[in-house]
Coordinates of all heavy atoms in Angstrom, one line a residue:
V120 N 14.9 10.9 -14.0 CA 16.1 10.5 -14.7 C 15.8 10.4 -16.2 O 16.6 10.8 -17.1 CB 16.6 9.1 -14.2 CG1 17.7 8.5 -15.1 CG2 17.2 9.3 -12.8
S121 N 14.6 9.9 -16.6 CA 14.2 9.9 -18.0 C 14.3 11.3 -18.6 O 14.8 11.5 -19.7 CB 12.8 9.3 -18.2 OG 12.8 8.0 -17.7
K122 N 13.7 12.2 -17.9 CA 13.7 13.6 -18.5 C 15.1 14.2 -18.5 O 15.5 14.9 -19.4 CB 12.7 14.5 -17.6 CG 12.5 15.9 -18.3 CD 11.7 15.8 -19.6 CE 11.6 17.1 -20.3 NZ 10.9 17.0 -21.6
A123 N 15.9 13.8 -17.5 CA 17.3 14.3 -17.5 C 18.0 13.8 -18.7 O 18.8 14.5 -19.4 CB 18.0 13.8 -16.2
K124 N 17.8 12.5 -19.0 CA 18.4 11.9 -20.2 C 17.9 12.7 -21.5 O 18.7 13.0 -22.4 CB 18.0 10.5 -20.3 CG 18.7 9.7 -21.4 CD 18.3 8.2 -21.3 CE 18.7 7.4 -22.5 NZ 18.2 6.1 -22.5
E125 N 16.6 13.0 -21.5 CA 16.1 13.7 -22.7 C 16.7 15.0 -22.9 O 16.9 15.4 -24.0 CB 14.5 13.8 -22.5 CG 13.8 14.4 -23.7 CD 12.4 14.0 -23.8 OE1 11.5 14.7 -23.2 OE2 12.0 13.0 -24.4
I126 N 17.0 15.8 -21.8 CA 17.5 17.1 -22.0 C 19.0 17.1 -22.0 O 19.7 18.1 -21.9 CB 17.0 18.1 -20.9 CG1 17.3 17.6 -19.5 CG2 15.5 18.3 -21.1 CD1 16.8 18.6 -18.4
G127 N 19.6 15.9 -22.0 CA 21.1 15.8 -22.3 C 21.9 15.9 -21.0 O 23.1 16.3 -21.1
V128 N 21.4 15.6 -19.9 CA 22.2 15.7 -18.6 C 23.2 14.5 -18.6 O 22.9 13.4 -19.0 CB 21.3 15.5 -17.4 CG1 22.1 15.3 -16.1 CG2 20.4 16.8 -17.2
K129 N 24.5 14.9 -18.3 CA 25.5 13.9 -18.3 C 25.9 13.5 -16.9 O 26.4 12.4 -16.6 CB 26.8 14.4 -19.0 CG 26.6 14.7 -20.5 CD 26.6 13.4 -21.3 CE 26.4 13.7 -22.8 NZ 25.0 13.9 -23.1
E130 N 25.6 14.4 -15.9 CA 26.0 14.1 -14.5 C 25.1 14.9 -13.6 O 24.8 16.1 -13.8 CB 27.4 14.6 -14.4 CG 28.0 14.1 -13.1 CD 29.6 14.2 -13.1 OE1 30.1 14.6 -14.1 OE2 30.1 14.0 -12.0
F131 N 24.5 14.3 -12.6 CA 23.7 15.0 -11.6 C 24.2 14.7 -10.2 O 25.0 13.8 -9.9 CB 22.2 14.6 -11.7 CG 21.8 13.2 -11.5 CD1 21.9 12.6 -10.3 CD2 21.4 12.4 -12.6 CE1 21.5 11.3 -10.1 CE2 21.0 11.1 -12.4 CZ 21.1 10.5 -11.1
A132 N 23.7 15.6 -9.2 CA 24.1 15.4 -7.8 C 22.9 15.6 -6.9 O 22.0 16.4 -7.3 CB 25.2 16.5 -7.5
M133 N 22.9 15.0 -5.8 CA 21.8 15.2 -4.8 C 22.3 14.8 -3.4 O 23.0 13.9 -3.2 CB 20.6 14.4 -5.2 CG 20.7 12.9 -4.9 SD 19.3 11.9 -5.4 CE 17.9 12.9 -4.9
P134 N 21.7 15.5 -2.4 CA 21.8 15.1 -1.0 C 20.6 14.2 -0.7 O 19.6 14.3 -1.4 CB 21.6 16.4 -0.2 CG 20.8 17.2 -1.1 CD 21.0 16.8 -2.5
T135 N 20.7 13.2 0.2 CA 19.6 12.3 0.5 C 19.7 11.7 1.9 O 20.8 11.6 2.5 CB 19.7 11.1 -0.6 OG1 18.7 10.2 -0.3 CG2 21.0 10.4 -0.5
N136 N 18.5 11.3 2.4 CA 18.5 10.6 3.6 C 18.6 9.1 3.4 O 18.6 8.3 4.3 CB 17.2 10.8 4.4 CG 17.3 12.0 5.3 OD1 18.4 12.4 5.8 ND2 16.2 12.7 5.6
G137 N 18.7 8.7 2.1 CA 19.0 7.3 1.8 C 18.2 6.8 0.6 O 18.7 6.4 -0.5
N138 N 16.8 6.8 0.7 CA 16.0 6.1 -0.3 C 16.0 6.8 -1.6 O 16.1 6.1 -2.7 CB 14.5 6.0 0.2 CG 14.4 5.0 1.3 OD1 15.2 4.0 1.4 ND2 13.4 5.1 2.2
A139 N 16.0 8.1 -1.6 CA 16.0 8.8 -2.9 C 17.3 8.7 -3.6 O 17.4 8.4 -4.8 CB 15.7 10.3 -2.7
G140 N 18.4 8.7 -2.8 CA 19.7 8.5 -3.4 C 19.9 7.2 -4.0 O 20.4 7.0 -5.1
A141 N 19.4 6.1 -3.3 CA 19.5 4.8 -3.9 C 18.7 4.7 -5.2 O 19.2 4.2 -6.2 CB 18.9 3.8 -2.9
A142 N 17.5 5.2 -5.2 CA 16.7 5.2 -6.4 C 17.4 5.9 -7.6 O 17.5 5.4 -8.7 CB 15.3 5.7 -6.2
W143 N 17.8 7.2 -7.3 CA 18.4 8.0 -8.4 C 19.7 7.4 -8.9 O 20.0 7.5 -10.1 CB 18.5 9.4 -7.9 CG 17.3 10.2 -8.0 CD1 16.2 10.1 -7.1 CD2 16.9 11.2 -9.0 NE1 15.2 10.9 -7.5 CE2 15.6 11.6 -8.7 CE3 17.5 11.7 -10.1 CZ2 14.9 12.5 -9.4 CZ3 16.8 12.6 -10.9 CH2 15.5 13.0 -10.6
A144 N 20.5 6.9 -7.9 CA 21.8 6.3 -8.4 C 21.6 5.1 -9.3 O 22.2 4.9 -10.3 CB 22.6 5.9 -7.1
L145 N 20.6 4.2 -8.9 CA 20.4 3.0 -9.7 C 19.7 3.4 -11.1 O 20.1 2.9 -12.1 CB 19.5 2.0 -8.9 CG 20.3 1.3 -7.8 CD1 19.4 0.7 -6.8 CD2 21.3 0.3 -8.4
Y146 N 18.7 4.3 -11.1 CA 18.1 4.7 -12.4 C 19.2 5.5 -13.2 O 19.2 5.4 -14.4 CB 16.9 5.5 -12.1 CG 15.6 4.7 -11.9 CD1 15.3 4.2 -10.6 CD2 14.8 4.3 -12.9 CE1 14.2 3.4 -10.4 CE2 13.7 3.4 -12.7 CZ 13.4 3.1 -11.4 OH 12.3 2.2 -11.2
G147 N 20.0 6.2 -12.5 CA 21.1 6.9 -13.2 C 22.0 5.9 -13.9 O 22.4 6.1 -15.1
A148 N 22.3 4.8 -13.2 CA 23.2 3.8 -13.8 C 22.5 3.2 -15.0 O 23.1 3.0 -16.1 CB 23.4 2.7 -12.8
K149 N 21.2 2.9 -14.9 CA 20.5 2.4 -16.0 C 20.5 3.3 -17.3 O 20.5 2.9 -18.4 CB 19.0 2.1 -15.6 CG 18.1 1.7 -16.7 CD 17.9 0.2 -16.8 CE 16.8 -0.2 -17.8 NZ 17.0 -1.5 -18.2
A150 N 20.5 4.6 -17.0 CA 20.4 5.7 -18.0 C 21.8 6.0 -18.6 O 21.9 6.7 -19.6 CB 19.8 6.9 -17.5
G151 N 22.8 5.5 -17.9 CA 24.2 5.9 -18.3 C 24.5 7.3 -17.9 O 25.4 8.0 -18.5

Side-chain angles (χ1 to χ4, degrees):
V120 168
S121 298
K122 190 66 189 179
K124 188 176 168 186
E125 185 157 88
I126 58 180
V128 171
K129 297 282 179 279
E130 192 166 355
F131 62 69
M133 78 183 313
T135 176
N136 271 333
N138 287 335
W143 280 76
L145 287 162
Y146 278 87
K149 172 98 175 157

